[in-house]
Amino acid sequence: MSNVPRFWRNLKRRYNLIGTKCLNCNELYFPPRQLCPKCRRASKIEDVQLKGRGEVLTYTIIHSAPKRFEGQTPYIMAIIQLEEGPKLTAQIVDCDPTEIDIGMKVEMVFRRIQEDGDAGLIYYGYKFRPIAN
Amino acid sequence: MKLEGVGIVGYGVYIPRYRIKVEEIAKIWGGDAKSISNGLKIFEKAVADYDEDAATIAVEAARNAVRMASIDPKDIGAIYVGSESHPYTVKPTATIVAEAIGASPELTAADYEFACKAGTAGIQTCMGLVASNIIKYGLAIGSDTAQGAPGDALEYTASSGGVAYIIGKDKLIASIEGTYSYTTDTPDFWRKEGQPYPRHGGRFTGAPAFFKHVYNASIGLMESLNLKPQDFDYAVFHQPNGKFPRKVAKMLGFTIEQIEEGILVDKIGNTYSGSSLMGLAAVLDKAESGERIMLTSFGSGAGSDSFSILVEEGIKKIRGKVPSVEDYIKRKKYLDYATYAKLRRKIKVIS
Ligand SMILES: [Zn+2]
């Protein structure tokens, strides 16, 4: 239950991949930052909607997962470089462990991230899947 | 009732990637796959992944619809999500969708329940709000991760998928000429609080339920608009299996050519609230401006909503902007029964 307020505060960016941009140096950040580490006191921070497309930089296959993720093993966690530049870690879905590859183009999808058991809250957010062509 | 100026501004669909074949389910329960396939006119059904539910499916379909319509999501004034598998008993799916597509907070939202016709009920609500200028755009969604009890006949057809329609007055890709509904208290299918799987009235689900309601709503629509089956290029009916929509089409005087394009149940199963609306999307993916489509949904309990839809010039501009029904149908991977049972949580993991 202690998770609920923290999750709710971050809900918008977890649902929609909203990052921040420093208008002083044009650097994009995800997760969002209140302060640009380059510009510090000269930072001018603004929210930006990221497009949710990118490519896989590296990945790992999880066979032995923490308790709440056990139902999904084996699953893929990847570091993704977004088209806009920022990198993030996310699960790759709609993709078998044998199909994943470095450089694979991926797009954001909306999935369940976690559940607080049968009676608790369901946490939703972004994951990524291969772009079909 | 004859309507003017209200219609569809955009639509989007979502079908999960996994499929299970009738043979694979029949193997487990000792059923005869051939006779089931022939009887129900279904070969395989779509299965949601472990981390998918009616809310995630609704969001994917809604995002496609917003992209197709190229509208500012803040202009959406109402969201209705129809489903019989809302992830929460208390806590709306519609608020999750509103937040995930960036439509919050200035809008009204609610979840609808009316078995497989909750999505078309949402469309009618949006039509009223748009026609009376209370909202600019309304978003109506049918989304389900339907479940049949293991071994029950429903297990062969109950599937997952979702469809979203944006209703408005400008930038129309199709106008809605009119709608007509037929509703009675009929106990053909039900699920009580706390029960994981629905119960149904067996043979009772045919004549007094599906056929009576779909037939009467469709006839009522045609009479109210002074149209005949020959005035339609396509007709789409709720499709709990492949047999029912073909049979009701024949009863009403429609030809096989008019209905084939909108029948998807053989490839994806019965997506419940998404069923007839998915068929309409498949027809809109192909239809030309000037063509007329009849859509009639059915929800157990029971009721049918029928619509007459006229395709507009605007349809050309939106083609290819988002994945089509066919794109999603082609994107598939088959599961064995054990994996299917795990994904659909038919096996409880103790943690
Ligand atoms: Zn900066």
Side-chain angles (χ1 to χ4, degrees):
Chain A
M1 279 312 263
S2 59
N3 257 338
V4 175
R6 190 169 62 92
F7 181 83
W8 186 76
R9 271 199 307 277
N10 295 322
L11 190 135
K12 266 190 180 20
R13 74 171 163 85
R14 286 197 202 218
Y15 278 17
N16 280 317
L17 220 58
I18 291 168
T20 51
K21 184 178 182 175
C22 171
L23 297 177
N24 193 43
C25 67
N26 277 330
E27 189 71 31
L28 277 163
Y29 297 101
F30 189 89
R33 286 175 180 250
Q34 298 306 318
L35 199 72
C36 172
K38 286 192 206 162
C39 306
R40 294 178 183 271
R41 260 190 298 174
S43 307
K44 274 206 174 101
I45 300 293
E46 187 187 76
D47 280 358
V48 282
Q49 170 71 60
L50 300 161
K51 275 185 294 180
R53 295 165 82 97
E55 67 173 66
V56 173
L57 289 182
T58 180
Y59 64 88
T60 178
I61 297 176
I62 313 285
H63 290 281
S64 154
K67 237 180 179 181
R68 281 170 186 151
F69 300 89
E70 276 168 341
Q72 304 187 52
T73 53
Y75 63 89
I76 307 161
M77 291 301 292
I79 296 175
I80 293 155
Q81 175 141 39
L82 297 173
E83 278 179 9
E84 293 92 341
K87 290 171 202 159
L88 55 83
T89 303
Q91 187 180 336
I92 306 288
V93 295
D94 284 357
C95 181
D96 291 344
T98 51
E99 295 165 346
I100 183 79
D101 217 345
I102 286 167
M104 182 182 261
K105 303 272 187 237
V106 290
E107 63 187 352
M108 175 182 69
V109 289
F110 189 77
R111 295 284 175 112
R112 285 181 180 215
I113 305 294
Q114 194 187 316
E115 269 171 272
D116 281 345
D118 277 348
L121 208 61
I122 305 164
Y123 301 100
Y124 294 96
Y126 59 80
K127 293 185 182 180
F128 282 75
R129 72 165 161 236
I131 295 176
N133 22 342
Chain B
M1 193 185 65
K2 179 107 180 146
L3 252 169
E4 254 162 61
V6 175
I8 299 163
V9 182
Y11 61 95
V13 306
Y14 180 79
I15 303 166
R17 176 187 183 230
Y18 293 114
R19 303 284 182 280
I20 187 163
K21 291 188 174 177
V22 163
E23 288 103 298
E24 183 63 23
I25 300 173
K27 209 164 70 187
I28 301 300
W29 302 107
D32 176 358
K34 255 217 180 92
S35 78
I36 293 161
S37 268
N38 285 335
L40 297 172
K41 294 260 179 295
I42 169 164
F43 306 105
E44 57 199 53
K45 65 167 190 173
V47 181
D49 203 344
Y50 192 81
D51 57 356
E52 292 186 293
D53 60 26
T56 66
I57 288 170
V59 167
E60 291 290 315
R63 281 178 175 168
N64 280 335
V66 169
R67 267 204 292 156
M68 176 192 278
S70 303
I71 59 165
D72 181 347
K74 298 273 182 229
D75 285 336
I76 294 172
I79 298 181
Y80 298 99
V81 183
S83 181
E84 62 99 66
S85 44
H86 289 291
Y88 292 97
T89 309
V90 178
K91 190 193 173 306
T93 307
T95 54
I96 300 168
V97 175
E99 198 69 68
I101 63 167
S104 292
E106 285 181 69
L107 81 163
T108 180
D111 286 0
Y112 274 0
E113 283 181 23
F114 195 148
C116 303
K117 81 155 199 100
T120 53
I123 289 184
Q124 290 178 326
T125 310
C126 289
M127 286 165 62
L129 291 170
V130 166
S132 55
N133 295 315
I134 293 171
I135 59 169
K136 186 172 184 191
Y137 299 118
L139 173 62
I141 300 171
S143 173
D144 264 305
T145 52
Q147 298 254 44
D152 186 280
L154 270 182
E155 207 192 358
Y156 293 102
T157 55
S159 77
S160 302
V163 200
Y165 284 86
I166 296 171
I167 305 300
K169 274 185 172 175
D170 63 346
K171 303 207 292 177
L172 297 186
I173 59 161
S175 41
I176 302 175
E177 297 182 298
T179 181
Y180 183 95
S181 296
Y182 188 89
T183 310
T184 71
D185 185 3
T186 307
D188 57 325
F189 179 92
W190 62 92
R191 179 168 65 86
K192 285 173 88 174
E193 188 88 37
Q195 294 296 311
Y197 303 114
R199 306 280 294 267
H200 52 88
R203 292 195 179 277
F204 191 53
T205 56
F210 179 91
F211 291 104
K212 177 177 156 189
H213 293 81
V214 172
Y215 183 85
N216 283 303
S218 304
I219 291 284
L221 178 85
M222 287 191 280
E223 278 175 0
S224 71
L225 296 174
N226 207 7
L227 294 168
K228 307 179 293 298
Q230 300 87 286
D231 295 322
F232 293 89
D233 296 279
Y234 301 96
V236 182
F237 301 103
H238 175 53
Q239 32 205 286
N241 53 55
K243 221 168 60 178
F244 281 20
R246 288 181 172 93
K247 191 172 161 192
V248 81
K250 206 171 161 192
M251 286 163 61
L252 286 160
F254 288 94
T255 63
I256 288 293
E257 290 72 34
Q258 283 168 297
I259 62 163
E260 280 309 308
E261 203 68 63
I263 296 184
L264 307 169
V265 62
D266 51 329
K267 300 177 211 91
I268 58 170
N270 178 7
T271 52
Y272 281 49
S273 302
S275 170
S276 56
L277 289 174
M278 188 82 75
L280 175 65
V283 168
L284 288 171
D285 282 346
K286 303 255 165 75
E288 305 285 342
S289 128
E291 291 188 318
R292 183 179 276 129
I293 307 162
M294 174 191 275
L295 165 72
T296 307
S297 65
F298 172 72
S300 292
S304 277
D305 303 323
S306 191
F307 301 81
S308 178
I309 294 156
L310 194 61
V311 182
E312 301 285 347
E313 279 288 316
I315 196 101
K316 288 180 195 145
K317 285 190 223 149
I318 52 86
R319 285 270 154 81
K321 276 176 109 172
V322 298
S324 67
V325 173
E326 203 176 314
D327 290 336
Y328 278 111
I329 287 178
K330 279 195 204 143
R331 193 191 67 135
K332 64 178 169 184
K333 184 179 155 57
Y334 290 106
L335 296 174
D336 56 31
Y337 194 89
T339 314
Y340 158 76
K342 181 181 124 180
L343 293 188
R344 289 292 79 221
R345 302 167 192 239
K346 288 174 192 289
I347 302 165
K348 285 274 172 200
V349 181
I350 295 167
S351 55

